[in-house]
Amino acid sequence: MIHSLFLINNAGDLFLEKHWKSVISRSICDYFFEAREKAVEPDNVPPVIRTPHHYLINIYREKIFFVSVIQTEVPPLFVIEFLHRVAETFQDYFGECSETTIKDNVVIVYELLEEMLDNGFPLATESNILKELIRPPTILRSMVNTITGSSNVGETLPTGQLSNIPWRRAGVKYTNNEAYFDVVEEIDAILDKSGTTVFAEIQGVIDACVKLSGMPDLTLSFMNPRLLDDVSFHPCVRYKRWESERVISFIPPDGNFQLMSYHISAQNLVAIPIYVKQNISFFETGSSGRLDITVGPKQTMGKTVECLVVTVHMPKVVLSANLSATQGTYNYDPVTKILLWDIGKLNPQKLPNLKGSLSLQSGAPKPEENPSLNIDLKIQQFAISGLKVNRLDMYGEKYKPFKGVKYVTKAGKFQVRT
Amino acid sequence: MLLSVTGEIFELKAELNNEKKEKRKEAVKKVIAAMTVGKDVSSLFPDVVNCMQTDNLELKKLVYLYLMNYAKSQPDMAIMAVNSFVKDCEDPNPLIRALAVRTMGCIRVDKITEYLCEPLRKCLKDEDPYVRKTAAVCVAKLHDINAQMVEDQGFLDSLRDLIADSNPMVVANAVAALSEISESHPNSNLLDLNPQNINKLLTALNECTEWGQIFILDCLSNYNPKDEREAQSICERVTPRLSHANSAVVLSAVKVLMKFLELLPKDSDYYNTLLKKLSPPLVTLLSGEPEVQYVALRNINLIVQKRPEILKQEIKVFFVKYNDPIYVKLEKLDIMIRLASHANIAQVLAELKEYATEVDVDFVRKAVRAIGRCAIKVEQSAERCVSTLLDLIQTKVNYVVQEAIVVIRDIFRKYPNKYESIIATLCENLDSLDEPDARAAMIWIVGEYAERIDNADELLESFLEGFHDESTQVQLTLLTAIVKLFLKKPSETQELVQQVLSLATQDSDNPDLRDRGYIYWRLLSTDPVTAKEVVLSEKPLISEETDLIEPTLLDELICHIGSLASVYHKPPNAFVEGSHGIHHNCILMLIVYNTGHYCPSGDLLGDLLNLDLGPPVNVPQGSSMQIGAVDLLGGGLDSLLGGDLGGGVGGSPAVGQNFIPSSVPNTFAPSPTPAALSSGLNDLFELSSGMSIATGGYVASKTVSITGHYVHMFYCLYFFCCVFSFGVIPTTPLAMHTPLMPSQSIDISLPLNTIGPVMKMDPLNNLQVAVKNNIDVFYFSTLIPLSVFFVEDGKMERQVFLATWKDIPNENELQYQIKDCHLNADTVSGKLQNNNIYTIAKRNVEGQDMLYQSLKLTNGIWILAELRIQPGNPNYTLSLKCRAPEVSQYVYQMYDAILKN
């Protein structure tokens, strides 16, 4: 099982270590540093690194490498999933997962890691249970603690760990009972030069914020459940009922959680909300090039496209860009070679256009690689797949909860080739 | 710095002993904080332990944290904490009981463990499931510290009982603990899986945590259902796990289903439904974090090789996004090629062409290579691929052009005489080629199609100018290409061939080049017709997919989906330490190193891994001898070449002097026996070995000849050699720096001595070999004649012989028949004496010749023999007496071989 964990920042400083079995010397990380150096970019460090006596499995999150050491045959995905869970827990506890917050809360971090694994076996990884065991730091509580002398460690047995619904604690009470669901869809797509879709799919999630007293038993149904043939559920969902009736039946965890994620890859269901007309060319001589990008709406079902941002990764030889935008602002960073055009709302009557010239390093040959465009966008109150929630019913409790569903469509990895 | 640390510790010490509870708690917190950042605060041990007796849960936890970290360095102080643990295990609060049992197990101090048995036994039967599940893990912890004690105390049985526990979390933890323990007990059947257990596990599967589900699924995958009905019912209950949000659960479920699919009838509806159900979850894994994608892709790579039908419709999800990490890109590319078919080749090619214009050089190269692989795999697309490659060559991007030329050579080999029209375009880029691979490829193409290239002689001549600056690969290819050219156009190129032959044979230091040059020279000068037949013979077509995993290994890996093995595509027992106990039942004799290929005999590798570097390990089989351990994979080649070889190799002055290979008269020299290369794929090369003995008795020389069988070349072969039964190891490690060409043999003599570590093997004269080079690691095994271990001074005094014969108990006497031997007693004596088997006395009893003989092995074991020869009867009777009767069998085999030779 998981033997040790090292946290390493982007600069290569090891700033925290935790061993769940015997102590392993931090010199084991030399193998990681070697791989890190070879990879150049931090994103490119291979997740599994073999050393003579151990394996290092690492993830890169929020500019921190979570490097775990294992010694026996352990499913690597188990380790990777666990490491992501650790990062999420830090995020959950400290608001952000960064070197500073981890260092500021080092004792809580240590206590958390101790509760999350026992001898390398996962112990408590549900945020509900952890919060019962170790209370997250708040300014108010730390003040109260210093005055009253109480601690941030729970005195009770984490009841959830024993019940058959480990994700929910008992005795939850709210004065306002409410349940909100966010249907968030991201479009992953690759469009080629001519605008044809090379590949497109929708990654959808339903995030829930459920604040209901007692032990509510919820049922969520869809207008068009047939859209969903590839789904992953939170452990609370009764899979049998989904299989037979296509409804989502569950006793929710308390607070925020991801109820389900789904994946729609059928080409005909994936609408592409915008089109991009672009022409980026470099001249053989004169060390310059031209850029002309126009964005327009395509399949938006009458909704407005917002927060539209176009990002262009320019070839290394591009020194500066002299452009004019009919809408929004643009910025070219000559260090990262990224051209960022922040358009904002897309107005179908007056299409935004960015046009102008690029200047290249003098004497440099015409760049070999083609730049590619990345699109960011947002459409409120609209799920691009057409998924609609039909109703939410609650059983097991008497009160009447407040219910709400929100839809939003975003661009995921949305890429236009040139 | 040191001063400030000491000052800090002094302050903390004072605070820990403060009267106020709050102050003490703050102090402990500070200590923990210092500990987490790696400061040594172990000197505060007694002060921290003093804070343990508290009813404040947080303080208790913090002290426990500290104890776990430092108990090892302060074992005597740690004993002070034992009483508190025992008391806490009786606490009415189950949280405290669980916390105590959890912490106890983490204190890795031998002295303490025995005090923990009783509390642990109680906790395993605790009324509270939270305590039981914590106790289950504690068993695994104790096992790690003291395995014997855990077995003696019956904790393993208690763990097995917990599988039937009513609480799913307890079941999951028991399974997890048992699987971890069984990692160090490969053969013991700790998890006895029967239908009842399986049912319990399947029930627990629905209710336990996501992590528990992983352990249970992994455990289920080891079960062999008795019939297809059982397999189907397990599959039905596992399928819902495919929709779990945790990717590790999904992959473990995929493993169970992939394995059990085999057992289902192929034409059943259920089989087909199940196949369909496998595809969406695999696709979903690819939308996870990049690390998850990587592991998923490595496994999908296996799955598409085993069952391409599952994902054949999904090729688009493997299309590369430009911001994927490079390790994801490369894996996706690999799978795209595996899924490429006539139906989707147009899309795939369009994608690959796109990738070839990306920024990352490694990725671009692989994309270009992929186009070549598509051409070879999908015949209908070859033409399209070639034109795509030509387009890419037009881009003039240097590394793209070079890579393209290399793959075009492979396309030429697959489809000879089909695409020569493009040669002209290729030739235009001749000057830009600066990588040996690309130069060699181009030269090969020019040589192969010399008759259709008008200026072939000029082209090749241009390479000849800097002949000595070229890499060996280019030199050899150029030599062959010019010879080909000469054979095709003898009239104009006589001068050129003369030139290259003299460059290769006279001006080169490289023996391979010289040898090949001489061979061509001789061939051309003696028999041009034969030369033509040899040099211009038809080449075998290259196979479609050279990188497929061998089927048996693939099946094994499919059973280990989701494991490290599946990420590395290596057999599961090949690389994780401790997956085997100490079973060193192998003679390790000669190790040749060679990289890039999988290793077919995983057991050996497993064993190699167990040879731990460091202090000698006791050999368990009742032998009192110690082996100096060799860390082969650990230290890599450095340790092989260094002085780590059992400590016996380096710096022994006697070694060099004793090596007298030529002074061996009339020894039994077997014809080299090809060693079994246990590769199921294309035999990349062959290794044969012959062994001869030197008069010193403890020095032998080894001749190895290696024959290449493949288009690849082998670089840097390293030899390492030892026979543990006789302690034979090479006097110096051997490295081969010259590449091995196809069909080329190299003879190597390797001086050996017998001062290496000794370990008993089965069979005694077994020889196993590992090879590492630019392809991968290979393993060989063969038998060597025992006679090389017979020493010269093996003649016993008559009296000693008689006494010894009587002294060895009769049950050690073994009788053998040597059949069909038509020699008289004297010839027999002579033949045997040449192999260091000495006749001490000869008697004639009732018309039969009785020969009394003795021989001694390098390790000092004497073997006494009585050979009865009856005139007219071709069957001799051989009685062997030896204190180590297991040797007799091999001695008999030697007798048989010597007398019939």
Side-chain angles (χ1 to χ4, degrees):
Chain A
M1 296 297 138
I2 300 170
H3 212 296
S4 303
L5 174 70
F6 296 98
L7 298 190
I8 297 168
N9 69 13
N10 222 350
D13 302 321
L14 200 164
F15 63 93
L16 189 120
E17 58 184 298
K18 165 77 187 142
H19 305 277
W20 283 278
K21 294 182 168 191
S22 52
V23 175
I24 289 177
S25 155
R26 50 167 74 190
S27 65
I28 188 84
C29 293
D30 291 349
Y31 293 98
F32 171 80
F33 293 130
E34 208 176 287
R36 165 76 184 79
E37 204 162 305
K38 228 159 114 191
V40 188
E41 292 295 318
D43 295 316
N44 288 341
V45 180
V48 187
I49 299 166
R50 189 172 172 174
T51 81
H53 301 281
H54 301 88
Y55 284 82
L56 303 178
I57 298 184
N58 67 83
I59 64 162
Y60 182 61
R61 282 273 298 249
E62 318 291 337
K63 302 204 167 123
I64 300 170
F65 289 100
F66 292 72
V67 183
S68 67
V69 183
I70 60 169
Q71 204 165 15
T72 48
E73 173 69 87
V74 177
L77 267 191
F78 153 74
V79 183
I80 290 170
E81 279 281 345
F82 177 80
L83 293 176
H84 280 295
R85 206 61 60 87
V86 171
E88 277 156 27
T89 307
F90 290 167
Q91 177 103 34
D92 191 22
Y93 263 73
F94 313 129
E96 59 163 353
C97 173
S98 70
E99 189 185 349
T100 331
T101 52
I102 291 174
K103 278 181 169 165
D104 287 349
N105 297 288
V106 71
V107 173
I108 295 186
V109 164
Y110 222 65
E111 283 173 343
L112 278 174
L113 291 175
E114 192 56 40
E115 286 303 334
M116 292 181 84
L117 276 191
D118 177 19
N119 195 39
F121 294 92
L123 199 58
T125 52
E126 284 285 336
S127 108
N128 276 301
I129 297 166
L130 283 171
K131 283 186 177 158
E132 252 182 277
L133 290 167
I134 301 153
R135 292 194 201 108
T138 61
I139 296 169
L140 184 71
R141 180 156 331 104
S142 62
M143 263 161 60
V144 171
N145 281 357
T146 32
I147 297 163
T148 61
S150 62
S151 70
N152 59 349
V153 169
E155 296 272 343
T156 48
L157 180 66
T159 44
Q161 292 212 343
L162 303 179
S163 71
N164 283 347
I165 37 171
W167 56 86
R168 189 175 180 89
R169 60 194 169 96
V172 184
K173 259 208 165 65
Y174 288 102
T175 41
N176 293 325
N177 288 297
E178 45 194 20
Y180 297 110
F181 294 89
D182 287 355
V183 179
V184 182
E185 294 195 341
E186 293 194 350
I187 313 165
D188 284 358
I190 303 174
L191 307 183
D192 74 3
K193 260 189 248 290
S194 59
T196 340
T197 312
V198 176
F199 158 84
E201 61 179 17
I202 296 170
Q203 310 284 356
V205 296
I206 298 184
D207 284 325
C209 174
V210 178
K211 292 180 173 167
L212 299 174
S213 314
M215 272 288 163
D217 196 332
L218 302 179
T219 308
L220 184 76
S221 62
F222 298 100
M223 308 275 264
N224 37 11
R226 256 174 220 201
L227 283 173
L228 307 171
D229 62 342
D230 180 4
V231 287
S232 308
F233 292 119
H234 188 276
C236 68
V237 176
R238 299 184 181 95
Y239 188 74
K240 278 267 153 59
R241 284 204 63 193
W242 170 255
E243 279 276 85
S244 55
E245 301 165 46
R246 297 273 143 176
V247 295
I248 302 180
S249 156
F250 59 104
I251 295 174
D254 187 37
N256 292 309
F257 65 100
Q258 191 179 87
L259 177 64
M260 67 180 289
S261 65
Y262 57 93
H263 180 95
I264 298 173
S265 53
Q267 233 32 204
N268 48 356
L269 291 172
V270 184
I272 302 294
I274 56 157
Y275 69 85
V276 179
K277 258 202 255 167
Q278 42 79 20
N279 182 19
I280 302 175
S281 53
F282 300 103
F283 305 123
E284 287 292 346
T285 53
S287 306
S288 64
R290 187 183 293 149
L291 179 143
D292 186 347
I293 305 173
T294 310
V295 188
K298 208 170 163 189
Q299 296 160 283
T300 57
M301 319 284 168
K303 305 271 180 190
T304 321
V305 178
E306 297 171 61
C307 304
L308 190 59
V309 177
V310 178
T311 317
V312 190
H313 289 251
M314 288 292 179
K316 284 206 176 58
V317 290
V318 177
L319 283 184
S320 64
N322 184 13
L323 310 168
S324 67
T326 59
Q327 185 188 341
T329 51
Y330 81 92
N331 174 38
Y332 180 67
D333 182 345
V335 181
T336 53
K337 307 289 176 195
I338 290 176
L339 172 70
L340 199 103
W341 179 27
D342 190 342
I343 302 171
K345 229 176 229 163
L346 182 64
N347 180 359
Q349 268 74 51
K350 190 169 159 284
L351 297 181
N353 169 271
L354 181 70
K355 197 152 88 172
S357 63
L358 305 166
S359 56
L360 274 56
Q361 223 161 19
S362 61
K366 196 181 150 201
E368 284 151 2
E369 72 263 15
N370 296 333
S372 65
L373 276 61
N374 255 33
I375 311 288
D376 256 325
L377 57 84
K378 204 180 208 173
I379 308 173
Q380 300 283 4
Q381 285 313 316
F382 175 56
I384 195 112
S385 67
L387 186 74
K388 272 220 153 67
V389 173
N390 184 21
R391 54 185 299 151
L392 177 76
D393 297 306
M394 185 181 74
Y395 306 93
E397 295 290 336
K398 297 265 183 299
Y399 55 85
K400 227 178 150 50
F402 187 79
K403 302 178 277 193
V405 182
K406 239 173 43 186
Y407 300 90
V408 64
T409 296
K410 292 183 196 166
K413 290 181 173 172
F414 195 113
Q415 188 185 335
V416 182
R417 290 175 179 162
T418 60
Chain B
M1 182 65 205
L2 190 73
L3 202 72
S4 83
V5 168
T6 355
E8 201 181 326
I9 284 189
F10 191 74
E11 259 171 46
L12 284 172
K13 207 178 181 76
E15 281 177 47
L16 282 170
N17 291 310
N18 197 297
E19 278 169 27
K20 282 195 190 134
K21 211 194 215 170
E22 266 323 295
K23 284 265 182 214
R24 290 207 299 269
K25 196 170 87 183
E26 284 310 307
V28 174
K29 274 193 176 178
K30 281 185 202 163
V31 172
I32 302 286
M35 179 175 91
T36 49
V37 292
K39 284 186 194 155
D40 184 13
V41 284
S42 61
S43 57
L44 294 169
F45 200 90
D47 310 279
V48 177
V49 169
N50 272 340
C51 299
M52 190 173 168
Q53 296 286 359
T54 170
D55 41 8
N56 182 314
L57 193 59
E58 188 187 19
L59 187 53
K60 201 182 261 299
K61 273 189 175 175
L62 291 173
V63 174
Y64 278 177
L65 268 180
Y66 178 89
L67 270 177
M68 285 184 234
N69 221 5
Y70 285 120
K72 184 110 195 163
S73 56
Q74 311 264 349
D76 295 327
M77 298 298 284
I79 287 189
M80 286 170 37
V82 165
N83 262 338
S84 295
F85 282 128
V86 175
K87 219 163 86 198
D88 284 353
C89 282
E90 311 264 327
D91 198 280
N93 184 345
L95 183 61
I96 304 251
R97 294 204 295 277
L99 186 63
V101 79
R102 212 177 106 196
T103 315
M104 268 166 26
C106 296
I107 297 185
R108 307 176 60 86
V109 177
D110 239 350
K111 278 190 202 162
I112 289 190
T113 45
E114 51 189 293
Y115 297 106
L116 305 180
C117 291
E118 277 323 299
L120 176 59
R121 203 185 312 282
K122 250 184 229 156
C123 288
L124 280 167
K125 299 209 157 59
D126 198 285
E127 51 170 23
D128 196 307
Y130 184 62
V131 180
R132 291 202 298 276
K133 86 171 195 168
T134 315
V137 175
C138 188
V139 175
K141 293 180 197 170
L142 278 195
H143 188 272
D144 197 29
I145 304 166
N146 190 343
Q148 194 56 45
M149 189 192 74
V150 168
E151 276 167 51
D152 295 346
Q153 295 277 343
F155 285 141
L156 294 184
D157 294 324
S158 314
L159 262 191
R160 270 188 288 251
D161 293 344
L162 287 184
I163 290 187
D165 199 281
S166 58
N167 185 297
M169 253 78 91
V170 178
V171 177
N173 272 18
V175 169
L178 280 171
S179 356
E180 191 179 65
I181 292 173
S182 59
E183 284 257 338
S184 51
H185 280 259
N187 301 323
S188 62
N189 197 6
L190 279 176
L191 267 162
D192 180 28
L193 295 174
N194 54 45
Q196 288 80 34
N197 283 345
I198 291 293
N199 212 12
K200 295 221 173 77
L201 291 181
L202 285 168
T203 313
L205 183 62
N206 286 325
E207 291 171 7
C208 65
T209 65
E210 49 198 310
W211 315 110
Q213 295 184 14
I214 301 170
F215 300 132
I216 292 180
L217 287 168
D218 284 348
C219 176
L220 281 175
S221 73
N222 292 326
Y223 178 63
N224 293 314
K226 58 182 189 309
D227 55 29
E228 55 188 64
R229 267 191 53 204
E230 194 184 7
Q232 179 171 343
S233 94
I234 295 176
C235 286
E236 278 166 3
R237 295 176 72 175
V238 167
T239 317
R241 299 300 125 207
L242 291 177
S243 298
H244 202 286
N246 185 318
S247 62
V249 175
V250 174
L251 201 57
S252 290
V254 168
K255 160 164 56 182
V256 175
L257 297 174
M258 279 298 285
K259 189 179 170 192
F260 289 6
L261 259 181
E262 294 287 303
L263 304 164
L264 300 172
K266 304 272 171 293
D267 45 359
S268 71
D269 287 344
Y270 184 71
Y271 176 87
N272 289 310
T273 333
L274 196 52
L275 268 189
K276 281 203 195 84
K277 278 190 178 163
L278 278 170
S279 150
L282 289 172
V283 172
T284 302
L285 288 180
L286 296 181
S287 55
E289 286 87 2
E291 298 91 1
V292 173
Q293 288 186 40
Y294 171 73
V295 177
L297 286 166
R298 290 297 285 173
N299 281 286
I300 288 172
N301 200 327
L302 296 172
I303 293 169
V304 296
Q305 287 185 60
K306 180 76 188 167
R307 296 186 183 279
E309 64 270 29
I310 294 178
L311 286 165
K312 67 166 185 261
Q313 303 295 344
E314 303 287 350
I315 191 155
K316 283 191 174 178
V317 301
F318 301 103
F319 286 1
V320 172
K321 299 183 182 103
Y322 89 96
N323 47 0
D324 283 334
I326 184 72
Y327 54 82
V328 167
K329 284 184 178 173
L330 297 176
E331 290 305 318
K332 280 188 172 173
L333 204 51
D334 228 29
I335 295 170
M336 271 171 71
I337 299 160
R338 292 206 196 284
L339 289 175
S341 66
H342 187 45
N344 57 25
I345 193 74
Q347 271 180 320
V348 172
L349 269 181
E351 278 294 305
L352 291 175
K353 199 174 167 189
E354 197 68 49
Y355 303 160
T357 62
E358 282 221 23
V359 194
D360 192 293
V361 177
D362 281 343
F363 179 60
V364 170
R365 283 173 179 273
K366 190 155 179 173
V368 176
R369 266 202 303 278
I371 297 174
R373 272 169 69 186
C374 284
I376 291 165
K377 192 179 169 195
V378 186
E379 187 162 356
Q380 298 91 330
S381 76
E383 195 150 344
R384 244 218 223 83
C385 295
V386 171
S387 75
T388 309
L389 286 170
L390 277 182
D391 285 352
L392 289 174
I393 288 176
Q394 302 300 354
T395 65
K396 305 276 178 198
V397 179
N398 193 278
Y399 52 86
V400 174
V401 173
Q402 310 217 34
E403 206 63 48
I405 286 183
V406 174
V407 298
I408 286 177
R409 176 194 50 195
D410 289 344
I411 295 176
F412 279 164
R413 286 209 59 185
K414 170 79 179 180
Y415 310 107
N417 306 322
K418 220 165 159 190
Y419 300 107
E420 297 75 57
S421 51
I422 66 169
I423 291 175
T425 322
L426 301 185
C427 292
E428 286 165 20
N429 292 288
L430 215 60
D431 299 331
S432 64
L433 308 179
D434 53 9
E435 290 163 23
D437 270 347
R439 288 176 81 86
M442 193 64 223
I443 293 168
W444 183 90
I445 293 170
V446 174
E448 191 64 17
Y449 295 98
E451 68 274 29
R452 305 182 208 188
I453 305 172
D454 293 335
N455 58 345
D457 48 343
E458 280 169 39
L459 293 176
L460 292 176
E461 200 172 357
S462 68
F463 284 100
L464 211 53
E465 280 161 25
F467 188 76
H468 290 298
D469 301 327
E470 299 284 0
S471 74
T472 313
Q473 178 195 7
V474 177
Q475 290 177 334
L476 288 166
T477 320
L478 186 56
L479 172 61
T480 307
I482 292 179
V483 172
K484 279 182 191 164
L485 172 71
F486 172 71
L487 289 168
K488 288 172 176 175
K489 301 179 179 172
S491 49
E492 310 120 70
T493 56
Q494 204 148 8
E495 203 175 317
L496 193 60
V497 82
Q498 292 266 331
Q499 210 181 333
V500 75
L501 286 175
S502 85
L503 276 172
T505 54
Q506 285 158 25
D507 301 339
S508 170
D509 298 333
N510 184 333
D512 295 335
L513 192 61
R514 279 207 307 268
D515 281 357
R516 194 187 287 197
Y518 280 124
I519 290 168
Y520 282 141
W521 203 323
R522 213 165 292 171
L523 259 177
L524 292 175
S525 56
T526 49
D527 190 354
V529 181
T530 320
K532 220 166 180 161
E533 272 170 27
V534 172
V535 179
L536 301 180
S537 67
E538 208 163 295
K539 278 163 282 298
L541 292 182
I542 57 173
S543 66
E544 273 183 22
E545 290 192 64
T546 44
D547 59 340
L548 281 180
I549 295 174
E550 192 239 351
T552 52
L553 178 70
L554 182 62
D555 284 341
E556 200 181 350
L557 289 175
I558 288 286
C559 295
H560 289 88
I561 282 176
S563 68
L564 277 171
S566 70
V567 172
Y568 280 96
H569 295 182
K570 296 254 163 74
N573 50 1
F575 52 90
V576 171
E577 266 185 57
S579 65
H580 285 273
I582 309 168
H583 303 288
H584 300 302
N585 275 336
C586 67
I587 290 188
L588 180 66
M589 167 127 183
L590 178 117
I591 294 168
V592 191
Y593 264 88
N594 163 337
T595 32
H597 192 76
Y598 72 95
C599 89
S601 81
D603 282 325
L604 175 63
L605 191 54
D607 283 328
L608 295 183
L609 269 168
N610 281 321
L611 301 176
D612 222 341
L613 189 69
V617 188
N618 272 316
V619 184
Q621 292 98 343
S623 154
S624 63
M625 281 186 270
Q626 296 208 309
I627 52 162
V630 186
D631 181 324
L632 286 172
L633 297 176
L637 291 176
D638 296 341
S639 71
L640 275 184
L641 296 171
D644 290 346
L645 305 178
V649 184
S652 166
V655 165
Q657 298 155 11
N658 282 336
F659 177 51
I660 325 164
S662 54
S663 66
V664 188
N666 299 324
T667 46
F668 173 72
S671 57
T673 42
L677 168 63
S678 38
S679 154
L681 273 179
N682 27 31
D683 287 357
L684 292 189
F685 61 89
E686 196 174 84
L687 180 143
S688 52
S689 64
M691 235 194 160
S692 56
I693 185 179
T695 45
Y698 45 88
V699 178
S701 93
K702 174 138 183 88
T703 310
V704 180
S705 87
I706 298 170
T707 314
H709 273 329
Y710 197 59
V711 287
H712 288 285
M713 279 178 273
F714 297 90
Y715 299 101
C716 297
L717 292 153
Y718 291 96
F719 290 79
F720 166 69
C721 164
C722 65
V723 182
F724 283 139
S725 296
F726 297 95
V728 171
I729 48 168
T731 51
T732 47
L734 182 65
M736 230 173 88
H737 294 289
T738 50
L740 181 61
M741 299 302 290
S743 311
Q744 185 191 3
S745 283
I746 298 178
D747 284 349
I748 296 151
S749 283
L750 183 61
L752 305 173
N753 64 31
T754 58
I755 57 170
V758 176
M759 198 169 66
K760 211 182 99 183
M761 310 286 310
D762 189 35
L764 279 174
N765 54 345
N766 191 12
L767 146 64
Q768 287 181 333
V769 180
V771 181
K772 189 173 181 180
N773 78 354
N774 58 331
I775 309 286
D776 210 321
V777 186
F778 295 81
Y779 293 89
F780 303 84
S781 83
T782 187
L783 297 176
I784 46 156
L786 194 72
S787 63
V788 296
F789 301 111
F790 297 171
V791 295
E792 257 195 331
D793 56 344
K795 186 160 186 170
M796 235 183 207
E797 288 298 315
R798 263 170 185 250
Q799 297 308 319
V800 183
F801 183 92
L802 275 172
T804 316
W805 185 271
K806 276 187 195 144
D807 198 38
I808 298 177
N810 276 340
E811 58 265 30
N812 278 11
E813 179 171 344
L814 292 165
Q815 270 204 0
Y816 302 94
Q817 289 282 326
I818 299 171
K819 296 203 168 101
D820 293 324
C821 200
H822 303 277
L823 303 167
N824 64 35
D826 291 334
T827 339
V828 169
S829 285
K831 269 195 156 193
L832 291 174
Q833 185 151 354
N834 285 340
N835 287 289
N836 292 348
I837 302 174
Y838 299 95
T839 306
I840 294 158
K842 183 182 155 193
R843 276 200 300 165
N844 194 304
V845 182
E846 297 161 9
Q848 301 176 355
D849 280 327
M850 305 288 279
L851 297 177
Y852 296 94
Q853 298 168 322
S854 73
L855 64 105
K856 190 174 124 186
L857 299 177
T858 49
N859 55 2
I861 292 178
W862 286 93
I863 294 110
L864 310 185
E866 181 197 80
L867 188 63
R868 190 185 312 163
I869 302 171
Q870 220 167 359
N873 184 351
N875 297 344
Y876 304 167
T877 310
L878 176 69
S879 305
L880 293 175
K881 251 189 168 183
C882 175
R883 289 190 200 278
E886 57 269 38
V887 187
S888 302
Q889 169 73 24
Y890 303 99
V891 175
Y892 155 67
Q893 283 166 6
M894 282 328 300
Y895 263 84
D896 201 59
I898 294 166
L899 292 179
K900 286 177 187 160
N901 187 14

